[in-house]
Amino acid sequence: MEPEDLHEQLKNTPFEQLKPRVPQKLAEYQPVEPGILKVAPFLQALVDFAPSPTGQHGIAVDVLSCPTSLCLEKLAKQYWEGLIVPIRANGGKTPPLSDHFTPKSEDSGVSVDAWLLEPSKCDRRTMRKLVLHRENYRCSVTGRVDANSIEDSKTEIQHGAIPSTVENAHILPFSLVYSPKGKKTSSIWQLINAFSGVSLDELNGDNINRPENGIGLDHTLYGWFSDFSLCFGATIEPDTYTVHYWNHALGWGLPSTVSFVSRSGVPVPDPRYLAFHAACARVVHSSGMAKILNELIEDLEYRDVLSNDGSSAHLLHNALGMLAQQ
């Protein structure tokens, strides 16, 4: 059967029938080119943890359509270099608010009602105001109170509580839409859409700053969330999530679940965005690529290879090749 005919046949086959064939296909894989990527476990994890039925089906079809081990390697590299590495590299790298065009004086004057009337004008400063307001100026996980909000008399701290710096964490990174040069990362968004069903259209422009794409996190947890050491798994209860972490030293004292509640009309985090982030984290850890990913990001940042706008893809590919030979 021709590859095109096979691909079309697989597309019309239910995922339940394709799923058991994926590990059989990956068991036949033999490394062709040197690399740091664990191809078979990585592709299996993509199929297992893709956060949408369409994503699971599509990746399973792509895996089973590969006629050779080299084809499987190229498919794995497409998602590794084009999705996982950029998401991890750009997580937690929203530019400081002081660099944004919105005057700081507007921070105290933006009302929740005004945002609800004009959601398309939600910049990063407004987003932070809304997210912290929704979380009552506390970390969504630890409950620690934001020190700046105490200073501004927006909230109070109980005796014995520990103040902290609470960040507004973009679930899907800000840099996926904006870059210093204003370029859009369309290639990454194509993979995000294929993997999760989330479209660039709904988060384009300032929509990336909507409170549905933000959670309030203690500064330390913000770092763990950004590097896939922490994620939130859906439960049967709406807007209630299990707190997942992979380094048990990180999880000391963390609650087992967190719940998000709308406050003053500010919407809760979008479950699809949290599912996407959790899927990326699970893929990385399930495939045994977490340590390699962290070392890779450190090395690439040292080499100054990564850019926020996706224009460094060819440099990223070359750097990954060099690392594979070290």
Side-chain angles (χ1 to χ4, degrees), residues 78 81-83 86-87 90 173-179 182-195 198-201 203-205 307-313:
Q78 178 184 11
E81 299 177 10
L83 179 68
I87 293 290
N90 288 321
F174 174 85
S175 299
L176 293 183
V177 170
Y178 286 107
S179 74
K183 297 180 181 178
K184 295 174 184 175
T185 52
S186 58
S187 60
I188 297 175
W189 274 100
Q190 290 174 1
L191 290 175
I192 290 176
N193 184 251
F195 183 57
V198 176
S199 170
L200 171 62
D201 293 338
L203 286 172
N204 205 359
S307 68
N308 289 333
D309 59 12
S311 61
S312 60

Side-chain angles (χ1 to χ4, degrees), residues 300-317:
L300 294 178
E301 289 177 340
Y302 176 78
R303 295 168 186 261
D304 197 26
V305 167
L306 297 174
S307 68
N308 289 333
D309 59 12
S311 61
S312 60
H314 66 292
L315 296 175
L316 171 61
H317 180 77

Side-chain angles (χ1 to χ4, degrees), residues 116-134:
L116 290 173
L117 291 173
E118 298 183 278
S120 64
K121 296 183 179 180
C122 190
D123 56 41
R124 289 185 295 116
R125 187 176 300 282
T126 305
M127 179 189 187
R128 184 178 189 278
K129 173 186 174 66
L130 294 172
V131 169
L132 264 63
H133 177 80
R134 183 187 67 206

Side-chain angles (χ1 to χ4, degrees), residues 55-209:
Q56 287 187 309
H57 186 268
I59 297 172
V61 168
D62 289 342
V63 168
L64 296 173
S65 297
C66 284
T68 64
S69 290
L70 181 60
C71 178
L72 289 172
E73 288 183 356
K74 290 181 178 179
L75 177 63
K77 287 179 181 179
Q78 178 184 11
Y79 276 92
W80 175 252
E81 299 177 10
L83 179 68
I84 299 298
V85 173
I87 293 290
R88 167 66 176 82
N90 288 321
K93 288 190 174 180
T94 302
L97 279 171
S98 58
D99 293 340
H100 197 265
F101 65 87
T102 303
K104 186 174 182 180
S105 59
E106 291 186 16
D107 181 57
S108 60
V110 178
S111 70
V112 173
D113 291 339
W115 173 81
L116 290 173
L117 291 173
E118 298 183 278
S120 64
K121 296 183 179 180
C122 190
D123 56 41
R124 289 185 295 116
R125 187 176 300 282
T126 305
M127 179 189 187
R128 184 178 189 278
K129 173 186 174 66
L130 294 172
V131 169
L132 264 63
H133 177 80
R134 183 187 67 206
E135 310 302 343
N136 197 23
Y137 306 98
R138 286 160 171 77
C139 172
S140 304
V141 178
T142 66
R144 289 185 174 181
V145 185
D146 179 54
N148 291 330
S149 298
I150 298 172
E151 183 70 19
D152 294 339
S153 300
K154 294 178 179 177
T155 189
E156 297 179 351
I157 186 170
Q158 296 180 347
H159 178 72
I162 302 174
S164 181
T165 299
V166 179
E167 308 277 2
N168 167 44
H170 281 74
I171 302 171
L172 275 74
F174 174 85
S175 299
L176 293 183
V177 170
Y178 286 107
S179 74
K181 298 179 181 179
K183 297 180 181 178
K184 295 174 184 175
T185 52
S186 58
S187 60
I188 297 175
W189 274 100
Q190 290 174 1
L191 290 175
I192 290 176
N193 184 251
F195 183 57
S196 69
V198 176
S199 170
L200 171 62
D201 293 338
E202 63 184 272
L203 286 172
N204 205 359
D206 275 343
N207 283 333
I208 195 75
N209 297 319

Side-chain angles (χ1 to χ4, degrees), residues 196-265:
S196 69
V198 176
S199 170
L200 171 62
D201 293 338
E202 63 184 272
L203 286 172
N204 205 359
D206 275 343
N207 283 333
I208 195 75
N209 297 319
R210 293 174 64 81
E212 296 98 314
N213 189 39
I215 50 177
L217 290 177
D218 173 277
H219 181 73
T220 301
L221 294 187
Y222 181 32
W224 299 345
F225 182 80
S226 299
D227 68 14
F228 297 148
S229 296
L230 174 76
C231 74
F232 302 98
T235 69
I236 60 174
E237 296 295 329
D239 303 317
T240 297
Y241 299 85
T242 302
V243 179
H244 292 283
Y245 48 87
W246 282 267
N247 185 334
H248 289 286
L250 304 182
W252 183 84
L254 295 184
S256 59
T257 61
V258 296
S259 296
F260 296 96
V261 179
S262 176
R263 185 166 179 255
S264 301

